[in-house]
Amino acid sequence: MKTHYWVSFCLAVAGQAALAACGPDEGTCETTSGEYHIELPDADNPPLVVFLHGYGGSGSGTMNNRGMVAPLIARGYAVMAPEGLERPDRGGTKSWNFYPGFGDRNETAFLNEAVEDAAQRFGIDSDRVVLGGFSAGGFMVNYLACEAPETFSAYVPVSGGFWRPHPEACEGPVRMFHTHGWTDNVVPLEGRLLGGGMYHQGDIFAGLEIWRIANECVDTKPSGFSTTGQFMRRNWMGCAEGSALEFALFPGGHTVPKGWADMMVDWYEGLPGS
């Protein structure tokens, strides 16, 4: 791990924010297992949103999505964007090891390591960490939450669920807010075949059933419906203590939609103990 680091400050779109850097590469922090980028609000001991990029993306590209990052900083959250694995079989394209053959790194261990590193370097609140991700990053969020839901405070995938065959069961309880585009054609709600039929994205609604079972929900029927701007939302309440499950649809396609950051924070801050 690099021991030399420095912090630079700049005026972000949302207000005064610290763009953190570790070592010689500005904006990049290195741990034993990988790298991450982080931006800090002007606050002590802030909560943290860790957001995983999609297939072929990058952590630095995630930080350039100011429509998502700036509202989070303005709400007092630090934002971390880890770097995925380079896959030699895909010409070095970056993704996440959520499916057999996608890499060797233990992603849960890496993300824990990155959060602990950020807590030591920058004083983030390691008890209030939300794990989100887009597309392949969203798939990674689901698989990590399935295997070890106690790892982070809540899970907020966008446009990513499970692959077929779906997990037989997931650990619980989990606090999850899944967001998906109605016209998403890259990760359709029903899933799709990839790699000439070698891989098959799973059905998002089948994934929600897995989460209802993990959360010990008595009924499949949603407990309530609401709208937030363009988002049509449904939730399941009265399930296991410490659980939360909500699903939001928006009319667009494969993207992190405008307004997602504030909606997600409102949801998270409304959870008991958050």
Side-chain angles (χ1 to χ4, degrees):
M1 183 183 299
K2 297 179 179 178
T3 57
H4 173 69
Y5 65 90
W6 51 274
V7 179
S8 62
F9 294 90
C10 74
L11 189 62
V13 174
Q16 190 68 29
L19 297 176
C22 317
D25 297 326
E26 183 175 356
T28 302
C29 300
E30 183 177 333
T31 71
T32 303
S33 303
E35 297 178 342
Y36 68 88
H37 311 270
I38 189 167
E39 186 169 335
L40 307 172
D42 186 17
D44 295 329
N45 197 36
L48 174 67
V49 174
V50 179
F51 200 86
L52 309 181
H53 63 75
Y55 178 81
S58 67
S60 57
T62 296
M63 299 307 292
N64 287 333
N65 182 359
R66 303 312 300 173
M68 181 187 76
V69 174
L72 294 173
I73 297 295
R75 296 288 293 268
Y77 286 72
V79 179
M80 174 190 288
E83 292 287 353
L85 292 162
E86 291 187 358
R87 291 182 55 185
D89 63 325
R90 293 291 186 271
T93 299
K94 292 181 179 180
S95 191
W96 304 95
N97 182 27
F98 61 83
Y99 195 83
F102 282 8
D104 298 321
R105 185 170 67 183
N106 183 323
E107 303 289 24
T108 302
F110 164 56
L111 295 174
N112 267 316
E113 182 181 275
V115 170
E116 291 173 4
D117 186 75
Q120 294 175 8
R121 292 181 189 269
F122 309 114
I124 62 97
D125 185 350
S126 58
D127 292 327
R128 292 188 294 160
V129 180
V130 179
L131 180 65
F134 171 66
S135 194
F139 283 102
M140 186 69 248
V141 170
N142 274 272
Y143 279 98
L144 190 153
C146 183
E147 295 177 0
E150 74 285 351
T151 305
F152 298 111
S153 179
Y155 299 90
V156 291
V158 180
S159 303
F162 292 117
W163 286 37
R164 296 180 186 272
H166 297 88
E168 292 184 5
C170 286
E171 298 293 327
V174 68
R175 305 201 297 181
M176 176 167 290
F177 188 178
H178 182 113
T179 305
H180 216 99
W182 177 253
T183 58
D184 192 331
N185 200 37
V186 177
V187 182
L189 289 164
E190 300 80 7
R192 68 175 177 130
L193 291 168
L194 293 171
M198 183 179 299
Y199 308 112
H200 197 168
Q201 293 171 352
D203 187 292
I204 297 302
F205 292 100
L208 289 171
E209 173 71 0
I210 293 170
W211 291 123
R212 285 193 295 268
I213 293 172
N215 282 355
E216 301 176 10
C217 297
V218 175
D219 199 349
T220 55
K221 177 184 176 182
S223 304
F225 303 86
S226 63
T227 58
T228 301
Q230 65 175 331
F231 299 96
M232 298 181 295
R233 301 167 61 174
R234 56 179 62 200
N235 65 74
W236 289 264
M237 302 179 67
C239 305
E241 183 178 357
S243 71
L245 182 61
E246 187 153 342
F247 181 57
L249 274 174
F250 64 96
H254 195 63
T255 186
V256 180
K258 182 179 180 181
W260 175 82
D262 280 311
M263 178 181 66
M264 183 275 291
V265 169
D266 288 341
W267 170 82
Y268 177 66
E269 293 184 348
L271 299 177
S274 296

